[in-house]
Amino acid sequence: MAEVVHIVLPAWQFAAILAGPLILLAAAAAGLRFLVRRRSVSGEDRDWSVPPLADAAGATLFHRWDVRCKITALLAYSFLVAALEHVKPALAALAVSLLALVLARSSLVRALTRLLAVTGFLVMFLVVMPLSAPALPGDTVLVIDGVDWLGFNLRGLYKALAIACKGVAVALLMEPLLTTAPLPVTLHGLTRLGIPDMVGQMVLLSHRYLHVFRHEAERMAAGMRVRGFRKRTDIETLRAVANFLGMLFVRSFERTERVFEAMRARGYRGRFPAPEESRMQAKDLLLAGAWLALGITLILWDRFFQQGSG
């Protein structure tokens, strides 16, 4: 049986191995954030009350794909990707997601924003798992000269890299899933698949009015700053913030009542009008089968052709 291989390094080399990737990841995250903010700035004020629910009508394969097949196939493929255990199949899944992003002509800004949302969570794995993974026979562990209790397990690093690749792959795949059809159409497809209709209505209204409430909060915060409010660690600041939250809740509740009355006046009786129906065709089923076959191929590669490797 293979024994654990310990590689003793000077303290500065060990620190460089730990800090180098973290600095690169932090720089990449900062670059992504700067790029997102730069690309988000437009020359004119957009209508904040009507957030975009999908990309402009496109002629890509994902735009023409029946929404029910698209939801079922991509979600099933995502679960298969999440079940991968090795780095190489996870990297292949990441490459597939990047290709899907290009084919769907999805927004680069939204994709980068989605990556920023999961960066901190994935970095935690890259830091914690190499330092906490138990040493098993055959592992290679980097240790500091004279500090045997602190080891950097390369097997833990490979596992963390596999998790990071899977997380990024699934996050990027949500762009072609959610942005290649209007949100009402996607939610109607979920309803056709068995999701309660009321859930779809709640998601749609929440997406619509979260932007309105955020704008209302920004207006109220701007008014407080104009009147001289500054955040401090004292009772007065806590009282002002509590009043702010209470007023925001009251205004939101009043707006909700007005919106509901307006919906009832326009004929709302518990259901939204269904969007234009699309008939499922053979090509939709073939495309869904291709995605499932791709996911199964990755699983087979991961389980039977990656034994003994990272």
Side-chain angles (χ1 to χ4, degrees), residues 286-299:
L286 288 175
L287 187 55
W291 274 97
L292 294 178
L294 179 59
I296 294 173
T297 301
L298 291 174
I299 286 290

Side-chain angles (χ1 to χ4, degrees), residues 146-159:
V147 188
D148 296 337
W149 56 269
L150 182 61
F152 188 86
N153 195 325
L154 295 184
R155 180 177 59 84
L157 177 62
Y158 295 147
K159 294 294 184 182

Side-chain angles (χ1 to χ4, degrees), residues 238-298:
L238 293 177
R239 184 179 292 112
V241 172
N243 292 333
F244 170 84
L245 294 177
M247 184 58 65
L248 179 63
F249 176 79
V250 171
R251 290 189 179 184
S252 302
F253 183 77
E254 292 176 347
R255 186 189 295 271
T256 301
E257 288 187 325
R258 294 197 302 269
V259 169
F260 181 67
E261 293 299 329
M263 290 169 57
R264 292 184 60 185
R266 289 167 173 80
Y268 176 75
R269 295 297 181 268
R271 298 178 65 91
F272 287 146
E276 182 180 356
E277 292 286 345
S278 60
R279 298 182 63 86
M280 190 181 302
Q281 302 178 7
K283 61 180 182 180
D284 300 317
L285 296 175
L286 288 175
L287 187 55
W291 274 97
L292 294 178
L294 179 59
I296 294 173
T297 301
L298 291 174

Side-chain angles (χ1 to χ4, degrees), residues 121-165:
F121 182 72
L122 297 178
V123 168
M124 178 186 67
F125 280 102
L126 293 173
V127 173
V128 173
M129 290 189 67
L131 297 175
S132 61
L136 300 178
D139 286 354
T140 300
V141 180
L142 306 180
V143 296
I144 304 177
D145 188 12
V147 188
D148 296 337
W149 56 269
L150 182 61
F152 188 86
N153 195 325
L154 295 184
R155 180 177 59 84
L157 177 62
Y158 295 147
K159 294 294 184 182
L161 285 175
I163 293 174
C165 291

Side-chain angles (χ1 to χ4, degrees), residues 158-186:
Y158 295 147
K159 294 294 184 182
L161 285 175
I163 293 174
C165 291
K166 292 188 297 182
V168 173
V170 173
L172 290 180
L173 199 61
M174 293 302 102
E175 285 300 310
L177 174 62
L178 298 176
T179 64
T180 53
L183 183 58
V185 175
T186 301

Side-chain angles (χ1 to χ4, degrees), residues 81-118:
V81 169
L84 299 175
E85 297 179 353
H86 298 91
V87 175
K88 290 181 181 179
L91 285 173
L94 177 57
V96 171
S97 296
L98 290 173
L99 180 61
L101 199 68
V102 173
L103 293 177
R105 301 175 186 173
S106 298
S107 169
L108 177 62
V109 172
R110 275 201 297 266
L112 295 178
T113 304
R114 197 177 297 277
L115 287 184
L116 285 175
V118 300

Side-chain angles (χ1 to χ4, degrees), residues 26-45:
L32 288 177
R33 189 179 298 275
F34 173 77
L35 182 59
V36 168
R37 290 179 178 177
R38 184 177 180 182
R39 293 287 298 272
S40 298
V41 176
S42 58
E44 57 182 5
D45 295 335

